[in-house]
Amino acid sequence: MSDLVLLLVTGLGLGALYFIAASGLSLIYGLMGVLNFAHGAFMTAGAYAGWLTMDALPESWPTGSRLVLALLVAVVVGTVIGVVVEVVLIRPLYRHHIQQVLVTVGLSLAGVAAAQGIWGSDPRPVDKPVWMTTTSDVLGARLPNDRLVYVVAAVALFLGLMALLHLTRLGLVIRAGVENRTMVEALGINVRRTFTVVFAIGGAAAGLAGVLYSQYAGAVSPAQGGSLLIFAFIVVVIGGMGSLPGTAVAAVVVGLVQQLANYYAASGVGDLSVVLLLALVLLLRPTSLKGAPA
Amino acid sequence: MTSSTQTPPAVRASTGGPDSPDGPAGTQPRSSRARVLLRAIPALVVVAVLAYLPYVAAELPGILPGRVNGPGSMQLLATCLVVGGIALSYDVLFGRTGLLSFGHALFVAAGSYLLTISLSTWDLPLPLAVGVALGLSTLLALAVGAIALRVGGIAFAMVTLAFAQAASIVVMRNPGGLTGGEEGKPLDRDALPGLLVGVSNAPYRYWLALGFVVVAWVFVSLLVRSRAGHAMAAVRENEQRAAVLGFGTYRVKLMAIVAGSFLGAVGGAVHALVLGGSNPHLTTSEFTLSLLVMVVLGGAGHRWGGVLGGVLYTYADARLVEVSNAGFLHSLPEVVRQVLSQPLFILGAFFVVVVYFAPSGLTGLGGRLIRRAGTR
């Protein structure tokens, strides 16, 4: 029983990370139809920004407050990168979806290579607050505290994004844009400015995901963002391409399936079972996933 | 093709209309055949020059490591050619059919690993091993394609990426010592004919690679000119219209995936023979992305695009490291030098520039420049 609780919570923590990584992708895809391959590079940038911040701050500070500052810096860096990339690279290719994907592919290659050139390809260890390395007893299971942090962060992000989408005027425009972009434009609303905002939100979420994933892995490395991105893609597809609640549910399911399969079958089977899950969803419900025509 | 479709009116006018017995039907095939022969001459010259390279003992400092026919240069050129052929096989999907697949590496890796495993672990003779590798890879392409094609557009790209990633995980996990994990799996040298083994036989592996590129090029050219090729182009240009016209677009796309993957698997097998084993890098999503970059760099859907892009990309990836040691860079700040020392950074940035300013790739750019020079 305690094993199961432990697995469920660690799976939930993993799913929370997947959700944070996938939420930005899903928003951007839903509104703009852009598959952002550079999202992995955004996450890597956030992870390195966080790592550099934690290194730059004096050792005497408690690690927890350094981590909070690192998160803030990473979110700001992610936002700035998102805005710059949207304005400089994505906007001129408006309505050329394939070219937009290609540009983000080039960006992801160049970004990872740049990080590799500056900081080397070896993983660099990251400081972790002591509390996050310990466990707490719940229902007889010793639960690692860091998973709880990820879950709290993901829930906060989810509620924040839902509030943004459903309670503000900006959210109204975004939702309307996902529904029918041409109509929103015809009503005289500047959808392009909304694109920039959505990219900024996506970048911020990517920065957050980058730091939290580097905490999860205990290190930063250039390839980190890319490996998280693959699972984020799978989550976005299973979640129905562009729906935030769908993405949340899919993230939890993927995290749980991966963790349970890794424990009850063999380590490494979890990653495969996620892909099998994807194939199954595609075979059973392909119509809900058609996606916007490219 | 555009020039040949423009000629009939002129021919018709000179022979006195479509009713005349020795009209367009009689003259056009001969002239188009002559044109085909004429257009094939540059290709034949290029192939002849490339085939002669192993007899050239000159040194090209800075361009190739050591003598042109030295083992280092031969190996580098052979790798460039193989990857060029593999990029051409990806162009069957991306440039010819408009399928944005991120899973092509899966089939290349399948060809490579299945050949290595059948030779080294199952001890099959070479012809049988090649047959097993290509047969299983094609079946895999059929299965994966059939599932992935249930979704379209961007979702298709993501699904193919996921399948390739699954394969990458399997290869890295090294089930039962079959794939060699991160180290890769070497070919059993005793199972190969002597000509393909050893440093001194590098020219033979080079010719093998060259032969693969020629076969791939002819295969793609024939495919594109066939009925199936026209159906692929129709699907690329406007899938809905193609469906209305009565093409089974699902079947056409599946056919393109299987044909491209078969060619990719051949490339993977040749890659294994040239490099003496299978490398897990072939399975990574990075390799698929680089195939996409190659095809777009060279010119998607262009007869030379894939090969040119693949050769240039592989060459640049291998040789750009030298650039970072060049003297004129020493005055630059440390960080800039570190970034520029990464070939992938330069290639990625260059790729973004090409997408913006030369959307039809280098071949398209070259064609445009030639035409502009001609009109002046």
Side-chain angles (χ1 to χ4, degrees), chain A residues 29 33 35 37 88-90 92-93 98-99 101-103 105-110 113-114 116-118 230 233-234 236-237 241 267-268 271-272 275 278-279 282-283 286 289-290 292 294, chain B residues 94 100 102 147-148 150-155 157-159 161-163 165-167 169-170 173 285-286 289-290 292-293 296 313 335 338-339 341-342 344-345 348-349 351-352 355-356 359:
Chain A
Y29 183 82
L35 182 61
F37 259 88
V88 176
L89 293 174
I90 304 292
L93 295 172
I98 297 287
Q99 273 85 340
V101 173
L102 295 181
V103 163
V105 165
L107 208 60
S108 70
L109 290 179
Q116 211 160 0
I118 299 173
I230 303 269
F233 276 158
I234 295 177
V236 171
V237 174
M241 317 280 295
S267 119
D271 301 2
L272 285 181
V275 177
L278 174 69
L282 285 177
L283 283 171
L289 305 168
K290 277 287 183 212
Chain B
F94 179 69
L100 183 62
F102 284 112
I147 295 177
R150 291 176 67 90
V151 289
I154 297 287
M158 290 188 176
V159 173
L161 179 73
F163 274 108
Q165 191 62 23
I169 295 167
V170 170
R173 297 288 311 167
S285 56
E286 194 189 283
L289 290 185
S290 61
L292 178 68
V293 171
V296 175
Y313 183 98
V335 173
Q338 282 171 334
V339 170
S341 71
Q342 295 290 323
L344 270 183
F345 176 81
F351 175 67
V352 172
V355 170
Y356 267 95

